[in-house]
Amino acid sequence: MITSAAAQTYVRLRRKCINDALPVLELLEFGGLSTVRGCLNPLGYDRMLPHNEQIELLINKAWDLHKHKDRLGYERGYCDPRYGLAAGCAGWDSLLTKDFLNHCLITGDVPLKYVSQHAINGKYCKLR
Protein backbone atom coordinates (compact mmCIF):
# COMPACT_ATOMS: atom_id res chain seq x y z
CA MET A 1 0.00 0.00 0.00
CA ILE A 2 2.82 2.40 0.80
CA THR A 3 4.52 1.86 -2.54
CA SER A 4 1.26 2.24 -4.43
CA ALA A 5 0.41 5.48 -2.59
CA ALA A 6 3.92 6.78 -3.18
CA ALA A 7 3.63 6.12 -6.92
CA GLN A 8 0.29 7.95 -7.05
CA THR A 9 1.79 10.90 -5.20
CA TYR A 10 4.86 10.91 -7.44
CA VAL A 11 2.68 11.15 -10.56
CA ARG A 12 0.59 13.95 -9.08
CA LEU A 13 3.62 15.96 -8.01
CA ARG A 14 5.74 15.44 -11.13
CA ARG A 15 3.17 16.01 -13.86
CA LYS A 16 3.27 19.49 -15.38
CA CYS A 17 -0.50 19.60 -15.94
CA ILE A 18 -3.52 17.29 -16.07
CA ASN A 19 -2.45 16.30 -19.63
CA ASP A 20 1.03 15.15 -18.64
CA ALA A 21 1.38 11.37 -18.38
CA LEU A 22 5.18 11.35 -18.61
CA PRO A 23 5.63 10.47 -14.91
CA VAL A 24 3.30 7.49 -15.42
CA LEU A 25 5.28 6.31 -18.43
CA GLU A 26 8.50 6.75 -16.49
CA LEU A 27 7.34 4.52 -13.63
CA LEU A 28 5.95 1.88 -15.98
CA GLU A 29 9.48 1.27 -17.26
CA PHE A 30 10.79 -0.26 -14.06
CA GLY A 31 8.09 -0.48 -11.40
CA GLY A 32 6.90 -3.57 -9.62
CA LEU A 33 3.21 -4.37 -9.27
CA SER A 34 2.49 -1.83 -6.50
CA THR A 35 4.29 0.94 -8.36
CA VAL A 36 2.52 0.11 -11.61
CA ARG A 37 -0.91 0.04 -9.98
CA GLY A 38 -0.23 3.27 -8.11
CA CYS A 39 1.06 5.20 -11.10
CA LEU A 40 -1.91 4.23 -13.27
CA ASN A 41 -4.57 5.19 -10.72
CA PRO A 42 -4.34 8.98 -11.17
CA LEU A 43 -5.25 8.53 -14.84
CA GLY A 44 -8.76 7.57 -13.74
CA TYR A 45 -9.12 9.20 -10.35
CA ASP A 46 -7.94 12.60 -11.60
CA ARG A 47 -9.52 12.20 -15.05
CA MET A 48 -6.20 12.97 -16.68
CA LEU A 49 -6.30 13.85 -20.38
CA PRO A 50 -2.96 12.84 -21.93
CA HIS A 51 -2.14 13.61 -25.53
CA ASN A 52 -2.91 10.88 -28.07
CA GLU A 53 0.75 9.84 -28.38
CA GLN A 54 0.93 9.25 -24.63
CA ILE A 55 -2.39 7.40 -24.66
CA GLU A 56 -1.04 5.01 -27.28
CA LEU A 57 2.13 4.42 -25.24
CA LEU A 58 0.16 3.85 -22.04
CA ILE A 59 -2.11 1.32 -23.70
CA ASN A 60 0.78 -0.50 -25.35
CA LYS A 61 2.70 -0.76 -22.07
CA ALA A 62 -0.37 -1.76 -20.06
CA TRP A 63 -1.94 -4.23 -22.48
CA ASP A 64 -0.74 -7.32 -20.62
CA LEU A 65 -0.10 -5.88 -17.16
CA HIS A 66 -2.51 -8.42 -15.71
CA LYS A 67 0.30 -10.87 -16.48
CA HIS A 68 2.93 -8.73 -14.69
CA LYS A 69 5.86 -10.75 -13.35
CA ASP A 70 5.11 -9.67 -9.77
CA ARG A 71 1.43 -10.57 -9.96
CA LEU A 72 0.66 -13.87 -8.28
CA GLY A 73 -2.96 -14.04 -9.39
CA TYR A 74 -6.39 -13.13 -8.17
CA GLU A 75 -6.18 -15.68 -5.38
CA ARG A 76 -3.80 -13.32 -3.57
CA GLY A 77 -6.44 -10.59 -3.52
CA TYR A 78 -4.75 -8.28 -6.01
CA CYS A 79 -6.94 -6.24 -8.28
CA ASP A 80 -5.96 -5.77 -11.89
CA PRO A 81 -3.32 -3.01 -12.10
CA ARG A 82 -5.00 -1.56 -15.22
CA TYR A 83 -8.05 -0.35 -13.24
CA GLY A 84 -6.98 3.33 -13.18
CA LEU A 85 -5.99 3.32 -16.84
CA ALA A 86 -9.28 1.77 -17.93
CA ALA A 87 -11.22 4.30 -15.85
CA GLY A 88 -9.31 7.18 -17.44
CA CYS A 89 -10.16 5.94 -20.93
CA ALA A 90 -13.72 7.28 -20.45
CA GLY A 91 -12.56 10.75 -21.45
CA TRP A 92 -10.18 9.75 -24.21
CA ASP A 93 -10.57 9.18 -27.95
CA SER A 94 -12.56 5.95 -28.33
CA LEU A 95 -10.64 5.06 -31.49
CA LEU A 96 -7.52 4.75 -29.35
CA THR A 97 -9.10 2.97 -26.39
CA LYS A 98 -11.79 0.65 -27.76
CA ASP A 99 -9.58 -2.41 -28.37
CA PHE A 100 -7.88 -2.05 -25.00
CA LEU A 101 -11.16 -1.74 -23.13
CA ASN A 102 -12.64 -4.75 -24.93
CA HIS A 103 -9.49 -6.68 -23.99
CA CYS A 104 -10.01 -5.66 -20.35
CA LEU A 105 -13.61 -6.90 -20.42
CA ILE A 106 -12.53 -10.50 -20.98
CA THR A 107 -9.79 -10.73 -18.34
CA GLY A 108 -12.06 -11.71 -15.44
CA ASP A 109 -11.47 -8.91 -12.92
CA VAL A 110 -14.90 -7.57 -11.86
CA PRO A 111 -13.81 -4.00 -10.93
CA LEU A 112 -11.83 -3.74 -14.18
CA LYS A 113 -14.82 -4.93 -16.19
CA TYR A 114 -17.05 -2.37 -14.43
CA VAL A 115 -14.83 0.64 -15.25
CA SER A 116 -14.08 -0.67 -18.75
CA GLN A 117 -17.77 -0.99 -19.64
CA HIS A 118 -18.44 2.55 -18.45
CA ALA A 119 -15.41 3.85 -20.35
CA ILE A 120 -16.56 2.15 -23.57
CA ASN A 121 -19.76 4.15 -23.19
CA GLY A 122 -17.74 7.33 -22.64
CA LYS A 123 -18.88 7.62 -19.02
CA TYR A 124 -16.79 8.12 -15.92
CA CYS A 125 -18.00 6.01 -13.02
CA LYS A 126 -17.64 6.11 -9.29
CA LEU A 127 -14.26 4.60 -8.44
CA ARG A 128 -13.44 2.55 -5.36
Side-chain angles (χ1 to χ4, degrees):
M1 288 302 294
I2 293 170
T3 305
S4 182
Q8 287 182 58
T9 303
Y10 178 84
V11 168
R12 289 174 170 148
L13 291 174
R14 295 286 303 192
R15 66 185 178 200
K16 305 265 188 269
C17 63
I18 203 71
N19 301 334
D20 182 17
L22 286 177
V24 178
L25 292 165
E26 177 185 330
L27 292 177
L28 285 176
E29 288 299 318
F30 66 86
L33 183 63
S34 295
T35 301
V36 167
R37 186 177 60 224
C39 78
L40 291 174
N41 279 342
L43 294 167
Y45 283 99
D46 300 349
R47 298 183 180 184
M48 290 178 63
L49 301 170
H51 301 290
N52 287 349
E53 299 81 25
Q54 290 181 343
I55 291 171
E56 290 174 358
L57 286 170
L58 288 165
I59 288 172
N60 286 337
K61 291 180 181 295
W63 189 270
D64 284 328
L65 278 177
H66 60 298
K67 299 176 184 175
H68 194 278
K69 63 181 169 65
D70 293 344
R71 187 175 167 84
L72 299 176
Y74 296 104
E75 64 277 359
R76 291 285 311 250
Y78 294 127
C79 64
D80 195 296
R82 300 170 298 170
Y83 177 87
L85 173 59
C89 288
W92 304 348
D93 184 344
S94 63
L95 294 175
L96 298 174
T97 62
K98 183 181 176 183
D99 290 340
F100 171 71
L101 293 170
N102 283 322
H103 175 65
C104 289
L105 286 174
I106 61 171
T107 57
D109 186 79
V110 174
L112 179 64
K113 288 166 65 173
Y114 174 77
V115 297
S116 296
Q117 187 59 58
H118 279 80
I120 285 172
N121 296 326
K123 306 282 185 196
Y124 287 106
C125 59
K126 183 177 179 182
L127 302 177
R128 54 177 180 203

